[in-house]
Amino acid sequence: MAARKRHSCPPLVSPSNPPGEHPIIAPDASDQHSPTVIDISIQHPSYEQPSQPAPTPTVATAGGLENGTDTQMKGRKAGTAALGTVFGLFAWAQIYQNVVFKALTPRDERLDELKWVGSSKSWIDRRMCNWFGLCGLAHLNQANWKTQGEPVNRTVLEAGQIKIDLNDFREDARTLPEDWSEKELKDREIPQYVLDHAPLIHLYSGEEYWPCDMADHLFHTTPHLNYTPLQAVDDHPTLKNLHSLNRWGRFVYLQSDDNVEDYPEWLGGKSNIPDVPEDSDPDDVPADHGHYEEDKDGEKSSWWHVGDGDTREKGGVRTSGVVNSRIPTPTAVPKNTPEGEELVVEDEPWQSELRRTLKSRGKKVVGGRSDAPAVLIVVPKENGVVDAFWFFFYSYNLGNAVFNVRFGNHVGDWEHTTVRFQDGIPKAVFFSEHSFGEAYTWDAVEKSGKRPVGFSATGTHAMYASAGVHPYVLPGGILHDVTDRGPLWDPTLNMYSYTYNYRYDDLKSSNLSPDAPIGYFYFQGHWGDKFYPLNDPRQYRFLGQYHYVNGPLGPRFKNLGRKEICQGNGECVLKRWIGDKKSRPYAKRYSPIGRGEEISEEDMRRFDIRDSP
């Protein structure tokens, strides 16, 4: 049988293999079944062996091509990723500027946006703020918030200097009770049932910012028209003449004389921590075996929806009525804006300037006295209804943090609890929480004897009906308040008490404190600093939420003539306590923090509040 000839291909290995040795290559599976083939070497005279090294084997060449291709692909992926990032940022910038910013920012605030952003000296900061809504990123470094070097303590008295008597900041020239007529005495009388059912407040055990004396607050602040001081630092207004600042318009702010980030002693109010009463029993804690749900029957009661409501300029819904001759006609109403509380002229442009739970059983617990006076305002209404407003003042509000970034700090803080009575019988309790709050039937709240017990949250001082963690606004409890059974405060032991005719906007000192000051009640400005500009290292804003917002407006603008017991004019849900049933969830209603509260147009018209003198 003749042998077949075929040309043998060079092995796919390095040509340095010795003759007669097989290349070290794993045989292909198909080779095991190949027929026997006789290889005959055939000489090619015309073919000369190359004197240079053999070319790179095919396998090696293929590997090089693959590596090059991978490099090119990686380069393309990186380029695509970079291009995608740029496109994504560009798209977000367009969405933020044309949709998000307009949705988050009121029209009147947008008028001042250019100046606020322009106050920053950093070009990058201004661009990041305008394009992406990230303002003041560099200001997250807390080291720059405090005063460099030794903080200036403006309250230290020189050797031999007489200590300031704060009574000068409190007292008002009032007629004595013996000079009052029978009608006047009746108009000023605080019913005993109001005191018998006055709230007791548990402050948070780890609180940093305790209740403060309003007079002390005035001593450490200076009135500013926006960011311009109106008088010397040592020339302080008092509680009896604070309303005289109204001549400067509604953009007056009581600005701290100290850098609040230096934590001056007066701001914390530690001297006002309530005394521990001898007969207190902090271990007498009621058990929690139930939940709250809406009391629809209670919402049909004659005491639930009463009167005409307060005027819009004081936070209500009624149009302006009879005006107190002592108070100018208003042109603005209080509102919560991104910068905090402000008096806002509705449908008018702003000035072209930078702006602005549970029943208690067992031993009665008696609360302690605080040196910071509470404010009681009793408001008679129709159908035998009387609302007793208990206001609590703090010199500082520490906002809550989201992922360790804090929002909503402000100097000055007013919180309140309201007890509604009908014919002398308590019917419901309202606890203010941020810009809204929650209403409960009288039987639904925890009590100490006859008195309801409330809980003040750490930092924000928001009021709640129970101790624990209270999520709000954001899902998953990211943003929340915390309360516990810290020091128990009895506000009746030190208070200014008044009666108030909401129809005539007439506040009178009561028979219990006839010398209580009046002027501060009519102050239409803010009890703290104006929200800081972007060039201030303490300020930043992310998606419309500021680190520092405006100080709040006073009690006069808290809708004292409200029809229902809730502060707001929207849906008011009355909650009752239901035991041993599955809890029904309720969504808390809050408006964004923003810059803070502002006066509404209706309030401005009623109180004759002007933008400027």
Side-chain angles (χ1 to χ4, degrees):
M1 179 177 179
R4 291 182 300 166
K5 297 182 180 180
R6 75 176 178 91
H7 297 285
S8 61
C9 297
L12 299 180
V13 293
S14 172
S16 60
N17 290 320
E21 291 190 12
H22 296 286
I24 306 174
I25 297 179
D28 187 82
S30 61
D31 291 343
Q32 298 177 8
H33 305 283
S34 299
T36 302
V37 178
I38 300 175
D39 290 334
I40 300 176
S41 178
I42 300 177
Q43 301 294 327
H44 296 275
S46 62
Y47 177 77
E48 296 183 4
Q49 297 295 328
S51 59
Q52 299 297 326
T56 304
T58 305
V59 171
T61 303
L65 290 174
E66 291 178 0
N67 290 337
T69 302
D70 289 343
T71 302
Q72 293 178 2
M73 289 301 295
K74 290 179 179 179
R76 291 176 182 174
K77 290 180 179 179
T80 301
L83 184 60
T85 301
V86 172
F87 177 78
L89 292 174
F90 176 79
W92 167 247
Q94 295 301 311
I95 294 173
Y96 173 75
Q97 295 176 65
N98 298 299
V99 180
V100 179
F101 177 73
K102 293 181 179 180
L104 294 176
T105 311
R107 179 182 60 85
D108 45 5
E109 180 185 330
R110 296 198 294 268
L111 297 177
D112 289 327
E113 179 70 5
L114 288 177
K115 285 191 175 182
W116 187 81
V117 174
S119 68
S120 175
K121 297 179 180 180
S122 170
W123 181 89
I124 295 179
D125 195 18
R126 296 194 299 269
R127 298 288 75 77
M128 292 293 290
C129 188
N130 286 327
W131 295 345
F132 309 116
L134 303 176
C135 310
L137 284 174
H139 297 170
L140 294 178
N141 181 5
Q142 300 184 19
N144 296 326
W145 296 354
K146 298 182 179 293
T147 303
Q148 300 302 314
E150 191 70 20
V152 177
N153 190 344
R154 304 176 187 270
T155 63
V156 175
L157 301 177
E158 299 292 340
Q161 184 178 353
I162 299 176
K163 185 177 181 179
I164 297 298
D165 184 2
L166 291 178
N167 286 326
D168 293 338
F169 291 83
R170 300 189 183 100
E171 295 178 357
D172 203 354
R174 311 303 301 170
T175 56
L176 298 177
E178 52 265 28
D179 298 328
W180 296 345
S181 65
E182 184 176 345
K183 181 181 182 305
E184 185 78 5
L185 184 58
K186 183 178 181 180
D187 289 342
R188 297 175 181 259
E189 184 178 7
I190 301 296
Q192 183 60 39
Y193 61 77
V194 169
L195 302 179
D196 292 341
H197 302 91
L200 293 166
I201 306 299
H202 273 292
L203 302 173
Y204 187 71
S205 58
E207 183 61 73
E208 294 183 67
Y209 300 96
W210 303 90
C212 290
D213 189 328
M214 296 176 292
D216 192 34
H217 186 80
L218 294 182
F219 180 71
H220 294 93
T221 58
T222 298
H224 281 62
L225 180 59
N226 291 309
Y227 300 106
T228 304
L230 290 174
Q231 49 198 59
V233 174
D234 57 352
D235 185 11
H236 305 280
T238 67
L239 292 178
K240 64 183 179 182
N241 66 16
L242 186 61
H243 68 298
S244 64
L245 293 171
N246 292 348
R247 68 182 184 274
W248 295 102
R250 74 183 192 271
F251 300 116
V252 176
Y253 298 81
L254 301 180
Q255 181 172 308
S256 170
D257 293 337
D258 303 283
N259 179 359
V260 295
E261 289 293 340
D262 291 337
Y263 191 71
E265 185 176 349
W266 66 271
L267 205 68
K270 290 184 178 180
S271 61
N272 301 315
I273 299 176
D275 301 326
V276 179
E278 296 181 358
D279 56 347
S280 65
D281 186 4
D283 295 326
D284 184 21
V285 179
D288 184 351
H289 298 298
H291 71 280
Y292 291 113
E293 71 171 22
E294 184 176 0
D295 185 357
K296 295 185 177 180
D297 292 334
E299 293 173 358
K300 299 176 183 178
S301 302
S302 59
W303 54 264
W304 176 245
H305 192 89
V306 296
D308 297 329
D310 214 334
T311 56
R312 297 181 64 200
E313 62 268 19
K314 293 181 293 179
V317 295
R318 178 166 55 90
T319 57
S320 298
V322 180
V323 178
N324 188 328
S325 59
R326 297 177 301 170
I327 308 301
T329 303
T331 57
V333 295
K335 283 192 174 183
N336 283 286
T337 73
E339 301 92 344
E341 282 188 316
E342 289 195 24
L343 291 174
V344 176
V345 177
E346 295 180 333
D347 301 323
E348 286 187 20
W350 282 70
Q351 300 180 47
S352 182
E353 59 181 63
L354 184 60
R355 355 164 262 135
R356 8 246 208 232
T357 120
L358 297 177
K359 296 180 180 179
S360 176
R361 299 178 294 275
K363 183 178 178 180
K364 179 180 179 180
V365 178
V366 179
R369 180 187 186 279
S370 170
D371 285 341
V375 174
L376 167 63
I377 302 178
V378 175
V379 185
K381 297 178 180 177
E382 291 74 9
N383 296 334
V385 170
V386 171
D387 282 346
F389 293 87
W390 294 87
F391 284 94
F392 315 108
F393 181 75
Y394 306 81
S395 284
Y396 191 74
N397 178 100
L398 182 66
N400 281 319
V402 179
F403 302 120
N404 207 33
V405 178
R406 196 172 298 280
F407 298 95
N409 293 354
H410 55 82
V411 177
D413 191 21
W414 284 100
E415 299 293 344
H416 71 278
T417 292
T418 306
V419 181
R420 173 162 289 191
F421 301 87
Q422 185 179 42
D423 300 327
I425 300 174
K427 297 295 185 177
V429 181
F430 172 81
F431 295 104
S432 66
E433 305 167 14
H434 305 284
S435 61
F436 197 79
E438 300 291 341
Y440 303 84
T441 64
W442 178 254
D443 292 334
V445 298
E446 178 184 333
K447 299 179 190 70
S448 176
K450 295 181 179 180
R451 303 176 63 176
V453 177
F455 299 82
S456 176
T458 177
T460 67
H461 312 122
M463 307 294 293
Y464 292 92
S466 59
V469 177
H470 309 276
Y472 66 97
V473 181
L474 298 180
I478 296 175
L479 194 60
H480 60 269
D481 282 319
V482 182
T483 60
D484 68 6
R485 297 179 180 274
L488 189 63
W489 182 13
D490 184 350
T492 65
L493 299 180
N494 183 16
M495 66 178 180
Y496 296 134
S497 58
Y498 309 86
T499 60
Y500 181 62
N501 185 324
Y502 74 93
R503 291 182 177 275
Y504 292 87
D505 191 28
D506 188 19
L507 184 78
K508 297 179 181 293
S509 58
S510 79
N511 60 314
L512 300 180
S513 55
D515 59 348
I518 297 291
Y520 75 92
F521 176 80
Y522 291 102
F523 173 55
Q524 66 190 27
H526 298 256
W527 286 76
D529 296 20
K530 182 180 177 69
F531 74 100
Y532 300 147
L534 187 55
N535 63 355
D536 192 307
R538 298 168 296 181
Q539 184 66 295
Y540 52 77
R541 185 188 72 190
F542 300 148
L543 298 179
Q545 301 303 302
Y546 294 78
H547 183 207
Y548 273 92
V549 301
N550 290 335
L553 300 172
R556 183 172 175 238
F557 301 100
K558 306 304 181 185
N559 196 10
L560 300 181
R562 63 188 69 170
K563 295 181 180 181
E564 297 171 351
I565 195 172
C566 297
Q567 178 178 346
N569 299 303
E571 179 185 3
C572 185
V573 176
L574 180 65
K575 295 183 178 182
R576 61 177 176 171
W577 180 252
I578 303 297
D580 302 323
K581 289 185 179 180
K582 185 177 180 181
S583 177
R584 300 181 184 178
Y586 283 92
K588 296 184 181 295
R589 302 164 294 275
Y590 300 98
S591 59
I593 296 173
R595 294 186 184 178
E597 188 178 48
E598 299 183 6
I599 294 180
S600 64
E601 180 182 6
E602 187 69 23
D603 274 347
M604 292 186 67
R605 283 196 298 266
R606 177 168 172 76
F607 301 129
D608 193 24
I609 297 172
R610 299 179 296 275
D611 288 346
S612 57

